Amino acid sequence: MDIKCELVPEDSRKPIPQPDELGFGIHFTDHMFVMDYKDDKGWINARIIPYSPFTLDPAAVCLHYGQAIFEGLKAYKGIDGKIRFFRPMENMKRLNRSAWRMCMPQINEKDLLDAIKKLVDIERRWVPEAKGTALYIRPFMIATEPFLGVRPAKEYILSVILTPVGAYYKEGFNPVKIFVTDKYVRAAVGGVGEAKAAGNYAASLMASEEAKEKGFTQVLWLDAKERKYVEEVGTMNIFFVLDGEVVTPELTGSILSGITRDSVIRLSKDWGYKVSERRISIDEVIEAAKSGKLNECFGTGTAAVISPVGFLYYKDQGYKINGGKTGPLAQRLFDELTGIQYGEKPDPYGWVEFLE
Ligand code: COI
């Protein structure tokens, strides 16, 4: 792919935030990648330009009918100074799966990854150094055709923006408190829950705002039909250790197919755990919590990494998990994954790609 570059003069570039100012998704780098799609031409005008607002027609389809998808991956500065990506091709593939589900055009996965590497290369100085920080990469696609009516748009923009980040939750790696909702649902089987569609996140806001008001970090969703089976947290997939068995909900179409989720399954199996991707009812989780068999609970995600859950609240009752502390498997997974991502540990699975 031929990418035109228009760079901000060095002396006009933004100051880099201090490590303690990073937060998540607050600061954006000097440049962004953009390309356009037209039905009769395919993807055109690939460019890296100064970070700037888009001009959108008020009738742009994304504003009315929600054709908008995204991805999230990170570039890590290793202890050897090298910049690493973690399984980035999986994000490219998932972007295409989301695009397919939302009737949006496919991208060339390798070309997009090359474009991302080029952008990160230009923005090298923005990759933070401290462990636990990273440069979060946000590729996204929106429908831009000016048109009112419900059919797939014929014009799109694909863009990539970059933001240096610290921990996603204010708790960092400390256990979070999760509210299990049976009032709202996030996604139904047959819907778009497994796509990284912007609307899925809008649909989750009401429940998470209510949960935050009550002092919880996030919401655990149940299935839309019976409100009985555990699905995911919305910002992360969920895992339980039940009497030694590692259990995570199977991918039914309403759950995001997390890349960290997949990595955790692989690691846990290789460490000798029995790992089951299966339906798991909230009643089974609560029973296990009551009988002392719920050894651990944790979430997984690119933003969340491994996020231990210390407390679950369901039907007016709270349950402390592992004494409210990080469990041994969550700790080991966190150490292993971040060890691979920051170059402190070997990468036996070939999960890392380097920025040359
Ligand atoms: C990610 O984990 O990268 C996500 O997209 C989740 C989002 C809540 C930041």
Side-chain angles (χ1 to χ4, degrees):
M1 181 165 46
D2 181 34
I3 304 175
K4 287 213 183 82
C5 288
E6 178 199 334
L7 301 188
V8 177
E10 301 242 344
D11 57 1
S12 305
R13 295 189 184 176
K14 301 175 195 172
I16 304 285
Q18 294 302 309
D20 60 343
E21 294 170 349
L22 288 180
F24 197 98
I26 304 168
H27 308 276
F28 296 94
T29 67
D30 294 292
H31 301 92
M32 62 201 232
F33 172 80
V34 189
M35 63 180 174
D36 308 314
Y37 179 90
K38 293 194 194 307
D39 236 13
D40 52 346
K41 296 198 171 86
W43 288 107
I44 50 171
N45 299 337
R47 57 203 184 271
I48 289 174
I49 54 171
Y51 186 94
S52 52
F54 293 125
T55 306
L56 276 186
D57 192 291
V61 166
C62 64
L63 301 176
H64 302 269
Y65 309 111
Q67 271 187 299
I69 57 171
F70 68 91
E71 266 306 320
L73 63 156
K74 284 173 172 171
Y76 307 84
K77 177 78 78 63
I79 50 165
D80 52 5
K82 291 185 185 156
I83 295 174
R84 289 165 167 79
F85 302 93
F86 186 72
R87 308 183 71 185
M89 209 44 174
E90 297 305 313
N91 294 90
M92 304 300 107
K93 290 183 194 159
R94 193 171 60 188
L95 185 67
N96 264 343
R97 293 201 297 276
S98 299
W100 173 81
R101 182 63 184 84
M102 303 298 285
C103 297
M104 298 167 86
Q106 296 289 293
I107 48 108
N108 180 313
E109 292 159 4
K110 185 178 174 304
D111 282 356
L112 181 61
L113 184 53
D114 286 347
I116 288 172
K117 287 182 175 168
K118 191 171 173 115
L119 180 65
V120 173
D121 190 25
I122 290 169
E123 305 287 50
R124 268 174 189 274
R125 73 187 186 107
W126 285 89
V127 184
E129 304 232 328
K131 181 140 189 219
T133 66
L135 187 65
Y136 186 81
I137 303 165
R138 169 52 57 85
F140 61 103
M141 194 195 298
I142 54 172
T144 51
E145 185 192 359
F147 172 76
L148 295 188
V150 183
R151 60 145 172 81
K154 295 186 167 137
E155 294 170 20
Y156 297 84
I157 279 178
L158 186 139
S159 181
V160 182
I161 54 174
L162 307 176
T163 166
V165 297
Y168 183 71
Y169 298 124
K170 68 171 177 9
E171 289 86 346
F173 182 58
N174 296 316
V176 295
K177 290 166 82 177
I178 299 280
F179 184 87
V180 184
T181 182
D182 53 7
K183 179 174 165 197
Y184 301 105
V185 293
R186 174 185 171 273
V189 173
V192 297
E194 76 180 341
K196 230 165 152 52
N200 285 335
Y201 295 79
S204 75
L205 292 176
M206 178 70 85
S208 47
E209 285 305 289
E210 285 185 14
K212 275 180 201 155
E213 266 169 39
K214 296 186 180 102
F216 296 93
T217 318
Q218 270 298 337
V219 168
L220 177 62
W221 301 97
L222 302 179
D223 76 282
K225 195 171 167 203
E226 297 179 67
R227 305 204 185 180
K228 185 173 169 190
Y229 296 100
V230 172
E231 296 252 301
E232 60 157 81
V233 174
T235 47
M236 54 189 193
N237 294 112
I238 194 87
F239 283 76
F240 303 95
V241 184
L242 290 166
D243 208 10
E245 178 195 8
V246 180
V247 184
T248 193
E250 63 188 338
L251 301 175
T252 54
S254 57
I255 299 173
L256 191 83
S257 164
I259 295 155
T260 315
R261 174 188 180 278
D262 183 71
S263 311
V264 160
I265 291 172
R266 181 74 194 266
L267 286 170
S268 305
K269 279 186 182 164
D270 287 0
W271 291 341
Y273 283 90
K274 178 180 181 216
V275 182
S276 310
E277 294 178 72
R278 64 168 169 88
R279 280 184 129 193
I280 174 163
S281 70
I282 188 66
D283 292 340
E284 183 183 346
V285 173
I286 298 302
E287 274 314 308
K290 283 182 182 160
S291 65
K293 289 188 175 160
L294 178 56
N295 315 130
E296 285 187 54
C297 175
F298 54 87
T300 65
T302 298
V305 195
I306 301 290
S307 179
V309 177
F311 192 79
L312 274 182
Y313 192 86
Y314 177 59
K315 286 200 191 294
D316 300 326
Q317 190 95 37
Y319 304 89
K320 225 183 213 185
I321 304 164
N322 191 41
K325 299 208 177 67
T326 300
L329 180 60
Q331 184 70 57
R332 187 173 176 196
L333 286 164
F334 179 84
D335 292 344
E336 187 69 21
L337 282 173
T338 57
I340 294 172
Q341 289 160 347
Y342 292 92
E344 296 165 342
K345 288 190 178 230
D347 171 27
Y349 304 99
W351 281 341
V352 160
E353 281 193 35
F354 290 92
L355 187 65
E356 299 303 324

